[in-house]
Amino acid sequence: MAPRGTQASQARRGGPSQSQRRRAADSEEDEEDHGAMDYDDDEDGEGIMAGASQARVGSQSQADGAGRRRAGGTGGLSMEDIKRRANELVRMALFEEPRRQTIRRADIIKKILPENSRGFNAVFDVAQRTLRHTFGMELVELMTRSDRDAIGEEKKETGKKKSQASGTFILRSTLNPELIKLANRKNDKLYEEEVNSLRALGLIGEEQEDQDYERPGGAILAWKPVEPLALTGILQLVLSLILANGRVLPEPQLKRQLKSFHLYFNTKLPSPAFSSHDEQTLFDHLSDMIKQNYLDRVRVPMPGGAPTGGARRKSRKAADEEEEGLYEWRWGSRAHAEIGEQNVAEFICDFMRKSWLDEQLKLLGEDEEDEERAAAGRKGKNVARNPRRRAEKEAELEDKAEKYGERLLKDVTRVAGSELTRV
């Protein structure tokens, strides 16, 4: 008979212990429970919650199962309960979106999963699938302030620092921008059908201009912005100024640059949707953009520390200017998630390129008129324009405009200090 110690060592080497077998059995049960969360790709949605049995082979399957358990599992919820709660999350997200309200994980758990927070990931996944396939939208988690501040900063660590979870979500469109452009393009046949339908209902008469009813656009996508377009344009302008200044813009500099557009903090603007006021100031609008996480106004320390007692004798104007110098404007987390630095940079370059091209074409036309008058004076008769020469010059200018836009995009990226973020 072999010594006891030898038998024990052989047992340890030869097969799993009782505790190991028990852990393996628990792992397989958890995998079977989570396997029911696999989804089919049925377009009609009937098979969204259908279970899918998968072969599990050795330690690799155990590792996959452990990863899925760490992701949250079903939390003990039935498939029917997960679908019901997911629909509630979809309604909650769609209800908050028109007001540009963020959705916090804590609120989702409180309102939808008050007794079982472990089922959050399962409910979230089903709701996300419904939003993407039915509404063309998705829930995206916003960046934390520390993650936003880290954009553009060179990290000393060799490894990539893991981002922190903010637990705050917004709805974002998943539609391709090119598809949206096509859907907004006017179609004559569709326009005619819309007009005939409105006339049959008595909503418009033969002379549409005399009617108060909004005329149809003749596009597949009826573009009716909730906010006045002027407010959207101002937000785009401020984001562009911040990005072109290296992602940070001191408040006095922001006011000076807005002044060149005849915009001041006390300029009257139309009120946004869901507002009880007829008008608001520019600063009120920017404050709303801060609340909606499009912008961020950060207080910075005063140079040289806190003000001394002599600051009390300063004039009101000097005190206000000093107070303004304590703030910097940055992008908010929603702007990064919904708009993206790359898109704003392309907007800047496209605007500047078109402005440059329009100016050059205008000068080209003026030069041609001067040449025609000079030639007519010499010959005593009118001189016809050369359309081929005109087309060649326009093509040359368009080529220069494209190169001008490319240089601008490189300049904006260089000023930003690092690669621009994308949506």
Side-chain angles (χ1 to χ4, degrees), residues 209-220:
E209 290 75 7
D210 298 334
Q211 303 295 321
D212 294 333
Y213 190 84
E214 183 177 357
R215 287 177 291 173
I220 297 175

Side-chain angles (χ1 to χ4, degrees), residues 37-51:
M37 281 300 297
D38 291 337
Y39 308 128
D40 289 342
D41 291 330
D42 297 345
E43 293 181 357
D44 57 3
E46 294 295 332
I48 288 181
M49 302 303 301

Side-chain angles (χ1 to χ4, degrees), residues 275-318:
S275 176
S276 58
H277 303 286
D278 294 334
E279 61 181 13
Q280 61 175 347
T281 64
L282 173 59
F283 188 78
D284 292 336
H285 175 56
L286 297 180
S287 299
D288 288 341
M289 295 300 97
I290 294 174
K291 294 177 183 178
Q292 296 177 16
N293 295 291
Y294 283 108
L295 296 171
D296 197 6
R297 186 174 183 243
V298 182
R299 190 179 182 90
V300 295
M302 284 187 61
T308 61
R312 298 178 182 176
R313 294 189 293 271
K314 292 182 179 179
S315 65
R316 176 69 178 272
K317 181 178 180 181

Side-chain angles (χ1 to χ4, degrees), residues 112-135:
I112 299 176
L113 294 160
E115 74 287 349
N116 193 343
S117 61
R118 294 181 303 160
F120 175 85
N121 287 339
V123 172
F124 186 89
D125 289 343
V126 178
Q128 191 80 301
R129 184 182 180 91
T130 301
L131 286 168
R132 287 171 176 165
H133 287 223
T134 305
F135 298 97

Side-chain angles (χ1 to χ4, degrees), residues 39 72 131 145 162 170-171 177 180 183 196 198-199 206 215 226 273 280-281 286 298 301 335 347 351 353-354 383:
Y39 308 128
L131 286 168
R145 180 185 290 271
K162 187 177 181 180
I170 64 166
L171 269 183
I180 296 177
N196 293 334
L198 293 176
R199 285 174 180 169
E206 294 296 330
R215 287 177 291 173
V226 176
Q280 61 175 347
T281 64
L286 297 180
V298 182
F347 163 77
F351 175 80
R353 179 186 62 81
K354 289 182 178 179
V383 179

Side-chain angles (χ1 to χ4, degrees), residues 337-373:
E338 189 177 288
I339 303 175
E341 292 180 341
Q342 181 69 27
N343 289 331
V344 170
E346 292 175 358
F347 163 77
I348 296 173
C349 298
D350 190 52
F351 175 80
M352 297 297 294
R353 179 186 62 81
K354 289 182 178 179
S355 299
W356 181 88
L357 181 59
D358 291 342
E359 182 65 23
Q360 295 300 315
L361 291 175
K362 180 180 178 182
L363 293 175
L364 176 61
E366 293 176 354
D367 292 342
E368 288 180 342
E369 291 178 357
D370 292 341
E371 292 177 1
E372 289 176 4
R373 283 194 294 267

Side-chain angles (χ1 to χ4, degrees), residues 10-292:
Q10 290 176 350
R12 286 193 297 269
R13 291 192 302 268
S17 64
Q18 183 176 358
S19 62
Q20 289 174 328
R21 290 193 298 271
R22 186 164 54 250
R23 284 195 298 270
D26 293 341
S27 174
E28 291 184 358
E29 292 177 0
D30 290 340
E31 285 184 289
E32 292 175 358
D33 176 64
H34 196 93
M37 281 300 297
D38 291 337
Y39 308 128
D40 289 342
D41 291 330
D42 297 345
E43 293 181 357
D44 57 3
E46 294 295 332
I48 288 181
M49 302 303 301
S53 60
Q54 299 179 352
R56 295 181 292 272
V57 183
S59 59
Q60 181 62 41
S61 65
Q62 294 181 4
D64 294 342
R68 288 195 296 269
R69 287 195 300 277
R70 285 194 297 271
T74 64
L77 298 174
S78 66
M79 298 300 102
E80 190 66 28
D81 203 19
I82 289 174
K83 290 172 64 177
R84 178 178 61 81
R85 293 171 191 258
N87 290 336
E88 293 176 2
L89 177 54
V90 170
R91 285 193 294 269
M92 177 182 179
L94 294 175
F95 177 78
E96 297 293 348
E97 171 56 22
R99 297 182 295 175
R100 293 294 189 270
Q101 296 295 315
T102 58
I103 305 168
R104 297 188 302 131
R105 178 189 175 105
D107 292 336
I108 297 175
I109 293 176
K110 180 180 179 181
K111 297 178 181 179
I112 299 176
L113 294 160
E115 74 287 349
N116 193 343
S117 61
R118 294 181 303 160
F120 175 85
N121 287 339
V123 172
F124 186 89
D125 289 343
V126 178
Q128 191 80 301
R129 184 182 180 91
T130 301
L131 286 168
R132 287 171 176 165
H133 287 223
T134 305
F135 298 97
M137 307 185 79
E138 65 179 355
L139 283 167
V140 58
E141 189 170 12
L142 299 179
M143 289 190 294
T144 62
R145 180 185 290 271
S146 59
D147 288 336
R148 296 199 308 270
D149 293 342
I151 295 176
E153 294 181 358
E154 294 182 1
K155 295 182 175 60
K156 296 180 180 180
E157 299 85 354
T158 56
K160 186 177 180 180
K161 189 175 180 180
K162 187 177 181 180
S163 300
Q164 298 178 352
S166 65
T168 305
F169 303 87
I170 64 166
L171 269 183
R172 182 177 68 186
S173 172
T174 60
L175 298 179
N176 190 305
E178 294 300 323
L179 177 61
I180 296 177
K181 288 181 181 179
L182 291 175
N184 277 281
R185 185 176 299 174
K186 181 179 178 180
N187 182 280
D188 294 335
K189 184 178 179 180
L190 180 59
Y191 176 80
E192 184 179 352
E193 292 179 356
E194 288 179 349
V195 171
N196 293 334
S197 298
L198 293 176
R199 285 174 180 169
L201 295 173
L203 296 176
I204 62 174
E206 294 296 330
E207 298 295 334
Q208 297 182 41
E209 290 75 7
D210 298 334
Q211 303 295 321
D212 294 333
Y213 190 84
E214 183 177 357
R215 287 177 291 173
I220 297 175
L221 182 61
W223 179 250
K224 297 178 181 178
V226 176
E227 302 288 349
L229 290 179
L231 302 183
T232 304
I234 289 175
L235 173 62
Q236 193 82 357
L237 171 63
V238 174
L239 291 175
S240 301
L241 294 175
I242 295 173
L243 180 61
N245 196 67
R247 295 191 171 108
V248 178
L249 187 59
E251 188 161 299
Q253 188 173 345
L254 172 63
K255 296 182 73 173
R256 287 195 301 269
Q257 295 187 11
L258 289 175
K259 184 179 179 180
S260 63
F261 295 92
H262 304 286
L263 291 172
Y264 306 88
F265 274 11
N266 60 354
T267 300
K268 298 297 183 180
L269 299 175
S271 292
F274 306 103
S275 176
S276 58
H277 303 286
D278 294 334
E279 61 181 13
Q280 61 175 347
T281 64
L282 173 59
F283 188 78
D284 292 336
H285 175 56
L286 297 180
S287 299
D288 288 341
M289 295 300 97
I290 294 174
K291 294 177 183 178
Q292 296 177 16

